[in-house]
């Protein structure tokens, strides 16, 4: 089959699996970035296999990146601190040819978009280790080379190169006008009346700059960079629209005033009087992307807690991710906590009786973890969750219950542990 036909076949498969162009671009960009990381470490060490359900990228004899049934699986290596919000996406792994500590990220494309900046370095570290033998010598190719899909790689390279030509926008937050500083997070929201420009920003990158008044004039700082995903009508009377996105916060914010390129950019943007505007200067874009790269590289070593839950097969991982996501649903958590507090007056662990409030005082008020009693694997059909399906647990019991296989009931776990 010719290269163009192979690429066409890959496009057909990926379009069916990821109809959303933005999600497809995100996944294929990640495939290309991981491939290039491996090939820069040891040329010829990688192969990617395409199937009707997705793809698997192997480096040497180890799978490093898998996309199947809408779920991404990226292997990670390192030790240190992982944000609490990331923990539910992480599972323990044990590849014998890779040193510990290891874990893996499981999530949807939107989950990857939210957490990619946090897992980028440990993922690339895992990839580089996979390219070497346990003694540190470069591996000689991969035993899976005969399954390689050159068409998928060609299609991914085309999509990735096209994505690099995407547009960039600036969103300016004036602390003086708004009355507060812009607090950057993994998610982005911004109000503007420029609906035409907001629509053009969808699928593209938005750089957020905050301006703070001082005695010496306004201090500008770069607070985050995001991919815009959604526009909502905010206020009919003022014709305001709210644009949403996901991406990376710069923590701490990056000060801009002293940067050589910034005064010219500020002038070209009329001191950010446009609020939301397109960035067209290639030198400014290059400088911004250099800041992003430097910020990621300068982060403390991202390490990962000892996540030694049973490693799920890829076939079961979508249900596992959905199960954990349902346990994080803020509406369910809030409703369950309210019901238990009304009935019992405290949020004591249903397995061991531990009460965060009783132990930690005001710091522990209202804190507990909410566990879904019924695993999604018990049904092939969509499941409706009611409050009796949920249990209040302390962090330790919650983690230990998820280590049992098959997953134990709260009551059996408590009895078995004599809690």
């Amino acid at each position: 089959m010719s290269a163009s036909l192979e690429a066409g076949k890959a496009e057909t498969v990926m379009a069916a699996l990821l109809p959303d162009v933005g999600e497809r671009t995100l996944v294929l960009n990640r495939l290309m970035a991981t491939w290039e990381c491996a090939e820069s470490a040891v040329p010829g060490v990688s192969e990617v296999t395409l199937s009707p359900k997705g793809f698997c990228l192997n480096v040497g004899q180890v799978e490093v990146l898998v996309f199947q049934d809408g779920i991404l699986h990226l292997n990670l290596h390192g030790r240190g601190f992982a944000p609490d919000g990331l923990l539910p996406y992480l599972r323990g792994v044990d590849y014998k040819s890779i040193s510990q500590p290891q874990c893996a990220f499981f999530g949807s494309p939107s989950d990857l978009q939210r957490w990619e900046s946090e897992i980028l370095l440990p993922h690339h570290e895992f990839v580089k280790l996979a390219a070497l033998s346990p003694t540190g010598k470069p591996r000689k190719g991969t035993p899976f080379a005969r399954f390689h899909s050159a068409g998928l790689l060609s299609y991914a390279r085309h999509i990735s190169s096209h994505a690099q030509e995407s547009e960039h926008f600036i969103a300016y937050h004036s602390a003086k006008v708004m009355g507060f500083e812009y607090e950057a997070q993994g998610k982005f929201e911004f109000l503007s009346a420029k609906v035409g420009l907001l629509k053009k920003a969808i699928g593209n990158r938005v750089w957020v700059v905050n301006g703070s008044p001082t005695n010496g004039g306004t201090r500008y700082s770069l607070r985050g960079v995001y991919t815009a995903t959604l526009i909502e009508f905010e206020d009919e009377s003022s014709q305001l629209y709210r644009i949403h996105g996901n991406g990376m916060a710069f923590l701490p914010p990056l000060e801009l005033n002293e940067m050589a390129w910034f005064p010219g950019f500020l002038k070209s943007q009329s001191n950010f009087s446009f609020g939301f505007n397109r960035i067209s200067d290639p030198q400014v874009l290059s400088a911004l992307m250099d800041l992003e790269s430097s910020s990621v590289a300068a982060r403390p070593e991202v390490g990962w807690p000892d996540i030694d839950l049973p490693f799920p097969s890829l076939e079961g991982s979508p249900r596992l991710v959905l199960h954990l996501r349902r346990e994080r649903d803020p509406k369910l958590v809030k409703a369950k906590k309210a019901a238990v507090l009304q009935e019992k007056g405290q949020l004591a662990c249903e397995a061991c009786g531990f009460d965060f409030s009783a132990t930690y005082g005001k710091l522990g008020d209202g804190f507990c973890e909410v566990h879904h009693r019924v695993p999604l694997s018990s049904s092939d059909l969509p499941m409706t969750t009611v409050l009796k399906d949920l249990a209040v647990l302390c962090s330790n019991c919650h983690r230990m219950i998820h280590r049992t296989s098959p997953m134990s009931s709260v009551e059996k776990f408590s009895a078995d542990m004599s809690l």
Side-chain angles (χ1 to χ4, degrees):
M1 185 182 294
S2 70
S4 61
L5 285 177
E6 285 190 11
K9 177 184 176 183
E11 180 177 6
T12 300
V13 172
M14 294 306 297
L17 292 171
L18 289 166
D20 184 277
V21 176
E23 290 190 346
R24 196 186 325 151
T25 300
L26 178 75
V27 170
L28 293 174
N29 280 345
R30 174 39 41 206
L31 170 60
M32 280 309 307
T34 301
W35 172 275
E36 290 169 355
C37 175
E39 290 298 302
S40 66
V42 179
V45 77
S46 313
E47 74 80 34
V48 59
T49 302
L50 178 66
S51 76
K53 290 189 173 184
F55 63 78
C56 176
L57 174 59
N58 292 290
V59 174
Q61 54 191 346
V62 178
E63 61 183 26
V64 299
L65 170 63
V66 179
F67 174 72
Q68 184 168 315
D69 293 330
I71 298 298
L72 284 149
H73 158 201
L74 289 79
N75 284 329
L76 315 173
H77 184 276
R79 182 181 295 280
F81 176 77
D84 289 342
L86 179 57
L87 294 180
Y89 299 93
L90 304 180
R91 308 296 291 172
V93 294
D94 185 16
Y95 291 91
K96 302 302 182 185
S97 60
I98 306 292
S99 63
Q100 289 290 349
Q102 310 169 27
C103 64
F105 171 90
F106 284 86
S108 67
S110 60
D111 295 328
L112 174 65
Q113 186 177 51
R114 178 183 180 189
W115 294 110
E116 188 169 24
S117 63
E118 299 289 347
I119 66 175
L120 179 64
L121 294 180
H123 176 56
H124 283 181
E125 180 64 20
F126 187 98
V127 171
K128 292 173 184 177
L129 289 173
L132 305 174
S133 70
T135 60
K137 295 181 179 180
R139 291 193 180 276
K140 298 179 179 179
T142 169
F144 307 104
R146 64 185 183 278
F147 302 114
H148 179 58
S149 171
L152 175 58
L153 197 63
S154 176
Y155 174 54
R157 186 175 287 114
H158 169 75
I159 292 296
S160 182
S161 62
H162 179 73
Q164 291 175 5
E165 300 170 0
S166 62
E167 292 190 275
H168 294 252
F169 297 81
I170 193 79
Y172 177 64
H173 176 95
S174 170
K176 180 178 180 180
V177 173
M178 300 301 294
F180 59 91
E181 301 284 318
Y182 186 90
E183 296 294 336
Q185 303 176 39
K187 291 186 178 294
F188 158 71
E189 292 186 0
F190 193 81
L191 287 172
S192 175
K194 299 180 178 179
V195 64
L197 201 58
L198 295 180
K199 288 180 178 178
K200 291 180 180 178
I202 295 298
N204 291 302
R205 308 193 84 195
V206 179
W207 302 81
V208 179
V209 171
N210 181 85
S212 303
T214 69
N215 292 334
T218 303
R219 298 295 302 178
Y220 298 96
S221 59
L222 188 63
R223 297 296 175 106
V225 57
Y226 305 90
T227 299
T229 58
L230 174 70
I231 299 173
E232 293 180 323
F233 193 56
E234 177 72 15
D235 185 351
E236 186 173 356
S237 62
S238 61
Q239 294 294 302
L240 283 175
Y241 294 80
R242 184 182 296 270
I243 188 168
H244 300 261
N246 298 299
M248 181 180 80
F250 293 112
L251 300 173
L254 304 179
E255 298 297 328
L256 298 174
N257 288 59
E258 279 70 42
M259 295 191 177
W261 56 268
F262 184 72
F265 177 56
L266 183 63
K267 183 177 180 180
S268 71
Q269 293 287 327
S270 297
N271 293 335
F272 298 125
S273 61
F274 302 113
F276 193 92
N277 199 30
R278 183 182 278 106
I279 304 174
S280 55
D281 188 331
Q283 290 184 334
V284 170
L285 288 175
S286 178
L288 288 171
M289 287 187 278
D290 285 345
L291 286 176
E292 180 186 11
S293 299
S294 299
S295 178
V296 171
R299 291 186 176 199
E301 179 188 355
V302 179
W304 310 94
D306 294 330
I307 299 179
D308 52 358
L309 302 178
F311 176 60
S313 66
L314 182 60
E315 185 176 64
S317 62
R319 287 179 177 173
L320 172 65
V321 172
L322 288 172
H323 179 103
L324 293 170
R325 185 176 297 153
R326 186 171 294 181
E327 290 183 350
R328 297 194 311 274
D329 187 326
K331 293 180 181 177
L332 283 176
V333 171
K334 185 176 181 179
K336 180 62 178 180
K337 286 183 177 181
V340 173
L341 281 171
Q342 184 175 6
E343 178 185 353
K344 301 181 179 179
Q346 61 177 356
L347 295 174
C349 176
E350 294 181 33
C352 71
F354 182 84
D355 182 354
F356 283 91
S357 180
T359 301
Y360 297 104
K362 182 174 290 188
L363 182 64
D365 284 352
F367 184 83
C368 69
E369 295 193 9
V370 174
H371 168 66
H372 200 282
R373 292 175 175 271
V374 184
L376 292 178
S377 58
S378 64
S379 173
D380 289 323
L381 299 173
M383 295 171 60
T384 300
T385 301
V386 295
L387 294 186
K388 69 178 182 180
D389 296 330
L390 305 172
V392 167
L393 295 176
C394 69
S395 306
N396 286 343
C397 288
H398 194 189
R399 181 59 59 86
M400 292 301 104
I401 285 177
H402 272 292
R403 291 194 69 196
T404 60
S405 182
M407 192 175 76
S408 173
S409 70
V410 173
E411 292 73 21
K412 184 176 186 300
F413 174 82
S414 180
D416 289 346
M417 297 297 106
S418 299
L419 298 173

